[in-house]
Amino acid sequence: GLRPLSAVFDSYATGDHSAAHVSIVNQSPEDRDDLSVRVRVYDLAGNVRFDHTSADLDVASGAVAPALTMPRVARDSSVFFVRCDLMDASGAVIADNVYWQSQQRDDVGPPDNDWAFELRQVSWADMTALNWMPKVALNVTARRVDAQAPVRIRLHNPSSRVAFFARAELLSTPDGDEILPIEYSDNYVTVFPGETVTIEGVVPTPNVQADYVRVAGYNSAPVVVAVQ
Protein backbone atom coordinates (compact mmCIF):
# COMPACT_ATOMS: atom_id res chain seq x y z
CA GLY A 1 0.00 0.00 0.00
CA LEU A 2 2.98 2.36 0.44
CA ARG A 3 4.42 1.67 -3.01
CA PRO A 4 4.57 4.70 -5.32
CA LEU A 5 2.52 2.71 -7.84
CA SER A 6 0.13 -0.06 -6.83
CA ALA A 7 -3.19 -1.79 -7.41
CA VAL A 8 -5.54 -1.34 -4.45
CA PHE A 9 -8.61 -3.41 -3.50
CA ASP A 10 -11.32 -1.62 -1.48
CA SER A 11 -12.62 -4.70 0.44
CA TYR A 12 -16.25 -4.20 -0.64
CA ALA A 13 -16.28 -1.01 1.40
CA THR A 14 -18.90 1.06 -0.40
CA GLY A 15 -22.59 1.03 -1.28
CA ASP A 16 -24.43 -2.17 -0.40
CA HIS A 17 -21.11 -4.09 -0.25
CA SER A 18 -22.11 -6.31 -3.17
CA ALA A 19 -19.18 -5.23 -5.35
CA ALA A 20 -15.52 -4.36 -4.78
CA HIS A 21 -13.48 -1.82 -6.71
CA VAL A 22 -9.83 -2.20 -7.68
CA SER A 23 -7.93 0.93 -8.65
CA ILE A 24 -4.44 1.97 -9.72
CA VAL A 25 -2.93 4.47 -7.32
CA ASN A 26 -0.05 6.53 -8.64
CA GLN A 27 1.88 8.35 -5.93
CA SER A 28 4.96 8.71 -8.11
CA PRO A 29 6.07 12.00 -9.72
CA GLU A 30 5.47 10.67 -13.24
CA ASP A 31 2.39 9.94 -15.33
CA ARG A 32 2.12 6.25 -16.27
CA ASP A 33 0.60 4.82 -19.42
CA ASP A 34 -0.50 1.41 -20.69
CA LEU A 35 -0.96 -0.24 -17.31
CA SER A 36 -3.36 -3.07 -16.55
CA VAL A 37 -4.51 -4.91 -13.44
CA ARG A 38 -5.10 -8.63 -13.09
CA VAL A 39 -7.24 -9.71 -10.13
CA ARG A 40 -7.53 -13.31 -8.97
CA VAL A 41 -9.51 -14.69 -6.05
CA TYR A 42 -8.45 -17.92 -4.34
CA ASP A 43 -10.55 -19.89 -1.88
CA LEU A 44 -9.10 -21.60 1.19
CA ALA A 45 -8.52 -24.79 -0.82
CA GLY A 46 -6.30 -22.91 -3.29
CA ASN A 47 -8.81 -22.87 -6.16
CA VAL A 48 -9.03 -19.81 -8.42
CA ARG A 49 -12.61 -18.55 -8.23
CA PHE A 50 -12.24 -15.28 -10.15
CA ASP A 51 -9.68 -14.18 -12.73
CA HIS A 52 -10.07 -10.96 -14.66
CA THR A 53 -7.72 -8.47 -16.30
CA SER A 54 -8.60 -4.84 -16.88
CA ALA A 55 -8.24 -2.90 -20.10
CA ASP A 56 -5.10 -0.80 -20.59
CA LEU A 57 -5.18 2.31 -18.42
CA ASP A 58 -3.32 5.59 -18.01
CA VAL A 59 -2.93 7.23 -14.61
CA ALA A 60 -1.56 10.70 -13.95
CA SER A 61 0.91 11.49 -11.20
CA GLY A 62 -0.91 11.84 -7.88
CA ALA A 63 -4.09 10.36 -9.31
CA VAL A 64 -6.24 7.23 -9.09
CA ALA A 65 -7.60 5.27 -12.05
CA PRO A 66 -10.50 2.81 -11.56
CA ALA A 67 -9.43 -0.55 -13.01
CA LEU A 68 -12.29 -3.02 -12.54
CA THR A 69 -15.25 -3.99 -10.39
CA MET A 70 -15.48 -7.42 -8.77
CA PRO A 71 -18.72 -9.08 -7.63
CA ARG A 72 -19.04 -11.15 -4.47
CA VAL A 73 -17.31 -14.45 -5.16
CA ALA A 74 -16.37 -17.71 -3.39
CA ARG A 75 -19.27 -17.36 -1.00
CA ASP A 76 -18.73 -20.94 0.20
CA SER A 77 -15.22 -20.05 1.40
CA SER A 78 -15.47 -18.18 4.71
CA VAL A 79 -12.11 -16.52 4.04
CA PHE A 80 -10.63 -15.90 0.61
CA PHE A 81 -7.56 -14.27 -0.91
CA VAL A 82 -7.61 -11.38 -3.37
CA ARG A 83 -4.48 -11.07 -5.48
CA CYS A 84 -3.94 -7.84 -7.42
CA ASP A 85 -1.11 -7.66 -9.97
CA LEU A 86 -0.25 -4.36 -11.63
CA MET A 87 1.36 -4.93 -15.03
CA ASP A 88 3.12 -2.79 -17.61
CA ALA A 89 2.52 -2.84 -21.37
CA SER A 90 4.66 -5.98 -21.79
CA GLY A 91 2.68 -7.89 -19.16
CA ALA A 92 5.47 -7.80 -16.57
CA VAL A 93 4.30 -7.45 -12.96
CA ILE A 94 5.55 -4.19 -11.48
CA ALA A 95 3.62 -4.31 -8.19
CA ASP A 96 1.44 -6.82 -6.39
CA ASN A 97 -0.84 -6.74 -3.37
CA VAL A 98 -2.46 -9.70 -1.60
CA TYR A 99 -5.49 -9.29 0.67
CA TRP A 100 -7.29 -11.83 2.84
CA GLN A 101 -10.98 -11.20 3.17
CA SER A 102 -13.79 -12.54 5.34
CA GLN A 103 -17.25 -13.21 3.94
CA GLN A 104 -18.52 -11.73 7.20
CA ARG A 105 -17.77 -8.05 7.08
CA ASP A 106 -16.89 -5.55 9.77
CA ASP A 107 -20.00 -3.47 10.51
CA VAL A 108 -19.76 -0.65 13.02
CA GLY A 109 -23.47 0.06 12.71
CA PRO A 110 -25.19 3.37 11.95
CA PRO A 111 -23.23 6.64 12.06
CA ASP A 112 -24.55 7.46 15.54
CA ASN A 113 -23.30 4.17 17.04
CA ASP A 114 -20.77 5.63 19.48
CA TRP A 115 -20.43 2.19 21.09
CA ALA A 116 -18.25 1.21 18.14
CA PHE A 117 -15.46 3.19 19.80
CA GLU A 118 -15.73 0.75 22.72
CA LEU A 119 -15.46 -2.27 20.39
CA ARG A 120 -19.21 -2.88 20.34
CA GLN A 121 -19.84 -3.39 16.65
CA VAL A 122 -22.81 -4.95 14.88
CA SER A 123 -20.52 -7.63 13.41
CA TRP A 124 -16.86 -8.49 13.04
CA ALA A 125 -14.90 -9.96 10.16
CA ASP A 126 -14.17 -13.61 10.96
CA MET A 127 -10.68 -14.82 9.95
CA THR A 128 -10.58 -17.92 12.17
CA ALA A 129 -10.73 -20.26 9.16
CA LEU A 130 -7.10 -19.30 8.47
CA ASN A 131 -6.19 -21.35 11.54
CA TRP A 132 -7.30 -24.57 9.79
CA MET A 133 -5.70 -24.06 6.41
CA PRO A 134 -4.03 -27.21 5.02
CA LYS A 135 -0.31 -27.31 5.76
CA VAL A 136 2.10 -26.48 2.94
CA ALA A 137 5.77 -27.52 2.91
CA LEU A 138 7.72 -24.83 1.09
CA ASN A 139 10.89 -25.66 -0.84
CA VAL A 140 13.46 -23.10 0.31
CA THR A 141 16.82 -22.31 -1.25
CA ALA A 142 19.21 -19.41 -0.59
CA ARG A 143 22.16 -18.28 -2.67
CA ARG A 144 24.73 -15.50 -2.64
CA VAL A 145 26.86 -14.68 -5.67
CA ASP A 146 29.71 -13.26 -3.57
CA ALA A 147 30.37 -11.95 -0.07
CA GLN A 148 29.07 -8.46 -0.91
CA ALA A 149 25.94 -9.53 -2.77
CA PRO A 150 22.46 -9.79 -1.26
CA VAL A 151 21.23 -13.22 -0.25
CA ARG A 152 18.60 -14.36 -2.76
CA ILE A 153 15.97 -16.51 -1.03
CA ARG A 154 13.58 -18.55 -3.17
CA LEU A 155 10.34 -19.92 -1.75
CA HIS A 156 8.65 -22.47 -4.00
CA ASN A 157 5.20 -23.87 -3.33
CA PRO A 158 4.94 -27.31 -4.98
CA SER A 159 1.42 -27.92 -3.71
CA SER A 160 -2.07 -27.02 -4.91
CA ARG A 161 -2.70 -25.01 -1.71
CA VAL A 162 -1.96 -21.43 -0.70
CA ALA A 163 1.12 -20.92 1.50
CA PHE A 164 0.05 -17.93 3.58
CA PHE A 165 2.15 -15.21 5.21
CA ALA A 166 5.62 -16.74 4.99
CA ARG A 167 8.46 -14.88 6.63
CA ALA A 168 12.18 -15.27 5.85
CA GLU A 169 14.88 -14.55 8.44
CA LEU A 170 18.63 -14.41 7.78
CA LEU A 171 20.76 -16.02 10.50
CA SER A 172 24.43 -16.42 11.38
CA THR A 173 23.89 -19.87 12.91
CA PRO A 174 21.26 -22.55 12.22
CA ASP A 175 19.48 -22.04 15.55
CA GLY A 176 20.29 -18.37 16.10
CA ASP A 177 18.17 -15.24 16.22
CA GLU A 178 17.54 -13.14 13.14
CA ILE A 179 20.39 -10.82 12.22
CA LEU A 180 19.53 -7.21 13.06
CA PRO A 181 19.58 -4.69 11.53
CA ILE A 182 18.54 -6.29 8.25
CA GLU A 183 16.98 -5.20 4.99
CA TYR A 184 14.62 -7.32 2.85
CA SER A 185 13.18 -6.57 -0.56
CA ASP A 186 9.89 -8.09 0.64
CA ASN A 187 8.65 -10.35 3.40
CA TYR A 188 5.53 -11.89 4.95
CA VAL A 189 4.70 -13.12 1.46
CA THR A 190 1.95 -15.42 0.21
CA VAL A 191 3.11 -18.09 -2.22
CA PHE A 192 0.34 -19.32 -4.50
CA PRO A 193 0.08 -22.91 -5.81
CA GLY A 194 2.96 -23.97 -8.04
CA GLU A 195 4.65 -20.56 -7.85
CA THR A 196 7.95 -19.19 -6.56
CA VAL A 197 8.59 -15.96 -4.66
CA THR A 198 12.07 -14.44 -4.46
CA ILE A 199 13.20 -12.29 -1.53
CA GLU A 200 16.56 -10.54 -1.31
CA GLY A 201 18.13 -9.88 2.06
CA VAL A 202 21.00 -7.48 2.82
CA VAL A 203 22.99 -7.28 6.06
CA PRO A 204 24.17 -3.65 6.33
CA THR A 205 26.57 -4.32 9.22
CA PRO A 206 30.17 -5.05 8.13
CA ASN A 207 31.71 -8.38 9.14
CA VAL A 208 28.32 -9.96 9.96
CA GLN A 209 27.77 -13.02 7.80
CA ALA A 210 24.38 -14.46 6.88
CA ASP A 211 25.02 -18.19 6.50
CA TYR A 212 21.51 -19.55 7.02
CA VAL A 213 17.91 -18.64 6.33
CA ARG A 214 14.84 -19.66 8.32
CA VAL A 215 11.39 -19.55 6.73
CA ALA A 216 8.08 -20.10 8.51
CA GLY A 217 4.54 -19.31 7.44
CA TYR A 218 1.05 -19.21 8.88
CA ASN A 219 0.43 -22.70 7.49
CA SER A 220 4.05 -23.70 6.81
CA ALA A 221 6.36 -25.28 9.39
CA PRO A 222 9.74 -23.60 10.00
CA VAL A 223 12.59 -24.76 7.78
CA VAL A 224 16.27 -23.77 8.02
CA VAL A 225 18.64 -24.05 5.05
CA ALA A 226 22.25 -23.01 4.48
CA VAL A 227 23.07 -20.14 2.18
CA GLN A 228 24.98 -21.51 -0.80
Side-chain angles (χ1 to χ4, degrees):
L2 296 178
R3 290 186 179 100
L5 191 66
S6 62
V8 177
F9 162 67
D10 77 348
S11 299
Y12 297 94
T14 59
D16 62 0
H17 312 287
S18 63
H21 303 282
V22 179
S23 304
I24 301 174
V25 178
N26 183 6
Q27 301 179 87
S28 77
E30 300 176 348
D31 297 346
R32 296 298 298 263
D33 301 327
D34 298 324
L35 302 175
S36 61
V37 177
R38 183 183 183 186
V39 177
R40 281 167 283 183
V41 175
Y42 295 75
D43 61 23
L44 283 169
N47 302 307
V48 177
R49 306 291 292 273
F50 179 88
D51 187 349
H52 188 75
T53 301
S54 74
D56 289 344
L57 298 164
D58 302 335
V59 56
S61 172
V64 176
L68 56 85
T69 299
M70 185 175 73
R72 283 279 180 184
V73 293
R75 290 182 178 270
D76 56 341
S77 185
S78 57
V79 176
F80 56 96
F81 302 93
V82 179
R83 179 184 187 183
C84 302
D85 290 334
L86 179 63
M87 300 175 291
D88 63 16
S90 70
V93 176
I94 56 178
D96 64 293
N97 280 333
V98 177
Y99 303 82
W100 41 104
Q101 182 80 27
S102 170
Q103 293 288 3
Q104 179 172 306
R105 66 184 183 88
D106 276 317
D107 184 358
V108 299
D112 60 353
N113 179 24
D114 292 337
W115 289 113
F117 294 103
E118 297 188 19
L119 305 183
R120 302 187 192 181
Q121 295 189 181
V122 173
S123 66
W124 296 86
D126 183 2
M127 300 290 182
T128 54
L130 294 172
N131 296 331
W132 296 285
M133 291 180 67
K135 298 298 183 183
V136 174
L138 289 171
N139 294 336
V140 180
T141 57
R143 186 173 298 276
R144 179 175 39 233
V145 177
D146 58 56
Q148 305 303 317
V151 176
R152 183 165 295 171
I153 306 160
R154 291 170 59 86
L155 315 180
H156 177 66
N157 179 358
S159 78
S160 60
R161 307 288 188 172
V162 175
F164 175 55
F165 219 53
R167 182 192 179 204
E169 301 173 275
L170 286 175
L171 319 169
S172 295
T173 61
D175 56 353
D177 293 328
E178 181 180 23
I179 297 170
L180 296 174
I182 192 93
E183 298 173 4
Y184 298 105
S185 60
D186 201 352
N187 225 329
Y188 291 102
V189 296
T190 296
V191 189
F192 290 96
E195 297 191 9
T196 301
V197 171
T198 300
I199 299 170
E200 290 192 347
V202 176
V203 180
T205 307
N207 303 318
V208 176
Q209 187 77 1
D211 292 324
Y212 298 89
V213 61
R214 178 171 55 225
V215 175
Y218 203 86
N219 61 325
S220 297
V223 58
V224 178
V225 300
V227 176
Q228 302 299 314

